[in-house]
Amino acid sequence: MRFAPVPVALPGLVALSVGLLAFLYVLLLARARGRRAPRSADSGRRNASIGWILVQGFGIAVAGLGPIVTTRGSVSPLALASAAVVLLLMLAAAALFDSASRTMGRNWALVARTRGDGTLVETGPFAYVRNPIYAALLLILLALALACGHFANLVVALPVFALGTAMRIRHEEAVLRAAFGVAYDRYAARVKRFVPGVF
């Protein structure tokens, strides 16, 4: 069964584009910081999460997959409000990602690994949730569905994203436990994965 896209106005698409550019900028900054750090020897383990990165990415892509139908005529207050929500979600995602990657500093990497000189990060957004970067990616997924008018796609996009995220977390937690042992267990017992004090 195929769902027709909900018509959207151009301001929402412009807001999405601005937000994507902001996120790309902070991602490139994080990559530049990560390149300056020394490499670790656990290359086999760090490559194990690449498949789950692709699953996460597919979940995000599904949120915006399909034709985009734009409205004609003047821009309504509802369209402007929708654009504001899209921009807020995207800028929040960029800010959260930037804060988390800056807090991680040289520890940040696209795939799960630890560095020989790495430390367990418990400050910044990591003092409240263990996976702020994945929370940022979820905000992008929601903004994409809203901006493109593909709300029905969330029925598939959210479970696919959740699967990729759960498997990445499982792998990353194993890497962190191997590297930091009891210190990581204490941190995990104190700080929830996504929602402070809840989950």
Side-chain angles (χ1 to χ4, degrees):
M1 179 178 200
R2 292 190 64 188
F3 295 96
V6 174
V8 295
L10 288 178
L13 296 173
V14 171
L16 179 66
S17 299
V18 169
L20 286 172
L21 287 174
F23 188 82
L24 178 62
Y25 176 71
V26 296
L27 176 62
L28 291 174
L29 289 178
R31 291 278 293 162
R33 285 190 297 271
R35 283 197 188 110
R36 290 194 296 264
R39 298 290 177 191
S40 64
D42 59 351
S43 58
R45 293 198 71 172
R46 73 178 180 230
N47 291 330
S49 64
I50 290 176
W52 298 115
I53 292 171
L54 295 175
V55 172
Q56 267 185 318
F58 181 69
I60 293 170
V62 166
L65 195 62
I68 298 173
V69 178
T70 57
T71 57
R72 296 179 183 168
S74 62
V75 177
S76 69
L78 180 60
L80 293 175
S82 176
V85 171
V86 168
L87 186 61
L88 181 65
L89 287 170
M90 290 301 301
L91 293 181
L96 184 56
F97 177 87
D98 187 53
S99 176
S101 64
R102 284 180 187 278
T103 301
M104 292 179 77
R106 292 161 35 118
N107 292 315
W108 184 86
L110 185 61
V111 294
R113 65 181 175 197
T114 55
R115 303 186 186 279
D117 62 346
T119 57
L120 180 61
V121 178
E122 302 179 60
T123 58
F126 295 93
Y128 305 99
V129 292
R130 299 198 315 258
N131 298 285
I133 290 175
Y134 298 154
L137 294 179
L138 177 61
L139 295 178
I140 292 174
L141 183 153
L142 296 173
L144 188 59
L146 177 59
C148 297
H150 295 303
F151 306 109
N153 289 12
L154 293 176
V155 173
V156 175
L158 286 173
V160 170
F161 177 79
L163 173 65
T165 300
M167 296 310 292
R168 282 190 76 183
I169 288 171
R170 181 178 174 186
H171 175 70
E172 289 169 3
E173 288 183 347
V175 170
L176 291 169
R177 276 196 176 90
F180 302 111
V182 176
Y184 181 76
D185 288 333
R186 282 198 299 263
Y187 169 67
R190 189 177 74 252
V191 179
K192 299 297 184 184
R193 284 190 175 106
F194 291 107
V195 181
V198 180
F199 170 68

